[in-house]
Amino acid sequence: MSARKIIIDTDPGHDDAFAILFALGSPEELEVVGITTVAGNVPLPLTSLNALKVVELAKRTDVPVFAGCAAPMVRKLLTAEHIHGETGIDGADLPHPVTPLQKEHAVNFIVRTLMEAPEGEITICTLGPMTNVAMAMTMEPRIIPRIREVVLMGGGFFEGGNTTPAAEFNIFVDPHAAHKVFASGVPVTMAGIDCTYTAQMTPEWLQKLRNTGSHAAVQAANLADFFRQYGSHKFPTEARPIHDACVTGYLLAPEIYEQRMCHVTVDISSPVTIGMTVVDWWGVTGNDKNCNVLRRVDADAFFALMLERIGSLP
């Protein structure tokens, strides 16, 4: 069976780096046709720089990187240096990349790739705000039925929000973009914080990652050490979620996730709950079930697979 073709849309970000390395370490199952960057965890120049650093770390400079939207569709940009550090990937010693960004804008690349590929061939994996994808849908609506699936890290329901009481960061940064994608009719799978909070990396697992001897794995572990210490301290142990990697894990092993088809909409009107992903978990509205919601993951299976794949990189 041929590898599944994906575009990774991202705002690196420590957990974005793990998701990208996880995918690049799985070439038999996943063909990364391009990486598109968006403003989110840090501003666009840094997310683009970081994406280039990660592909060079993986020694996969054959994967092109395209810079995208520098701001959300409507709102002012909110960034997360308090979680990811000033560079967005503090903690690892990664050299300045020599690989250039592509000249084509990320939105144009998404549109062109989808229009040129057979219908249903390309999956889009969004690890940050969904601005690029929503702008591509706005620019060329004909791409919508051509998308195989959008798999995103974002949102939540049972755990509330991690940026406001109601909203998770990726959705809150550009709720209008997320609303457009969820309402588009494209198949959507959501790895929200309800799921990602069940995928918590431990110091012991990070030592196993280092013990692989892979340079990429060692640098990933260094990233994770910073992310664990500098990031959220609301968890009662030393373990911390590695959110975005759950997207890659789902593409590789969907069977290790608890899933349910639900109707999901994104609030774009309330000043209190804007950016909330409203999940009709019990089907009380009768609305069409437009989203495959990932509720939790088998953490042992997930981390074993990620250890194998990142550990296989040079």
Side-chain angles (χ1 to χ4, degrees):
M1 189 162 63
S2 60
R4 183 172 182 171
K5 294 185 177 181
I6 65 172
I7 295 171
I8 299 178
D9 188 69
T10 179
D11 62 337
H14 295 80
D15 51 331
D16 303 73
F18 268 82
I20 294 167
L21 292 171
F22 197 0
L24 295 178
S26 306
E28 292 188 6
E29 295 99 335
L30 300 176
E31 178 184 343
V32 183
V33 299
I35 294 174
T36 53
T37 62
V38 67
N41 285 320
V42 287
L44 182 68
L46 287 173
T47 61
S48 301
L49 183 71
N50 293 344
L52 292 171
K53 288 182 177 181
V54 173
V55 297
E56 288 193 354
L57 175 63
K59 296 191 172 3
R60 286 295 307 278
T61 54
D62 57 299
V63 178
V65 178
F66 302 81
C69 294
M73 295 179 75
V74 176
R75 290 155 61 85
K76 184 178 178 181
L77 177 65
L78 173 73
T79 55
E81 288 87 351
H82 61 291
I83 301 294
H84 296 278
E86 290 302 313
T87 69
I89 52 170
D90 283 15
D93 182 19
L94 302 181
H96 192 87
V98 297
T99 307
L101 284 168
Q102 301 295 307
K103 293 181 180 179
E104 187 177 17
H105 193 281
V107 173
N108 295 69
F109 166 73
I110 291 170
V111 169
R112 176 175 61 81
T113 302
L114 285 164
M115 294 305 294
E116 291 177 354
E119 184 172 328
E121 181 175 82
I122 303 293
T123 296
I124 301 178
C125 307
T126 65
L127 311 179
M130 304 181 82
T131 316
N132 287 336
V133 179
M135 290 298 290
M137 289 178 170
T138 302
M139 178 178 172
E140 179 48 271
R142 289 181 299 167
I143 69 171
I144 294 171
R146 305 187 71 82
I147 299 170
R148 174 173 172 177
E149 185 179 12
V150 171
V151 184
L152 71 126
M153 188 278 128
F157 188 64
F158 296 97
E159 294 283 354
N162 64 0
T163 301
T164 73
E168 178 275 333
F169 178 81
N170 286 342
I171 307 297
F172 183 75
V173 169
D174 198 342
H176 301 87
H179 183 274
K180 183 170 185 67
V181 174
F182 276 86
S184 69
V186 71
V188 173
T189 291
M190 180 177 86
I193 57 176
D194 303 315
C195 174
T196 68
Y197 282 3
T198 67
Q200 296 195 21
M201 56 185 177
T202 63
E204 293 76 19
W205 182 81
L206 291 173
Q207 188 57 51
K208 290 181 182 179
L209 192 61
R210 286 191 169 89
N211 290 345
T212 64
S214 155
H215 175 67
V218 170
Q219 291 298 331
N222 291 342
L223 286 171
D225 280 341
F226 180 92
F227 191 46
R228 288 192 314 110
Q229 294 167 19
Y230 202 52
S232 174
H233 294 279
K234 63 189 170 188
F235 300 98
T237 70
E238 290 189 286
R240 296 287 184 272
I242 191 70
H243 306 282
D244 292 341
C246 287
V247 168
T248 310
Y250 167 78
L251 293 172
L252 294 170
E255 68 279 2
I256 68 174
Y257 291 78
E258 180 185 319
Q259 311 168 40
R260 183 182 293 192
M261 288 299 299
C262 301
H263 180 78
V264 178
T265 190
V266 179
D267 179 27
I268 55 173
S269 59
S270 167
V272 177
T273 57
I274 189 166
M276 180 181 183
T277 46
V278 182
V279 178
D280 185 6
W281 186 256
W282 299 111
V284 297
T285 66
N287 291 331
D288 290 342
K289 297 176 180 179
N290 62 332
C291 182
N292 181 30
V293 178
L294 306 184
R295 179 68 177 88
R296 55 179 57 88
V297 64
D298 178 338
D300 290 342
F302 171 79
F303 282 106
L305 183 59
M306 186 158 59
L307 177 69
E308 173 194 320
R309 300 308 170 82
I310 296 181
S312 72
L313 292 169

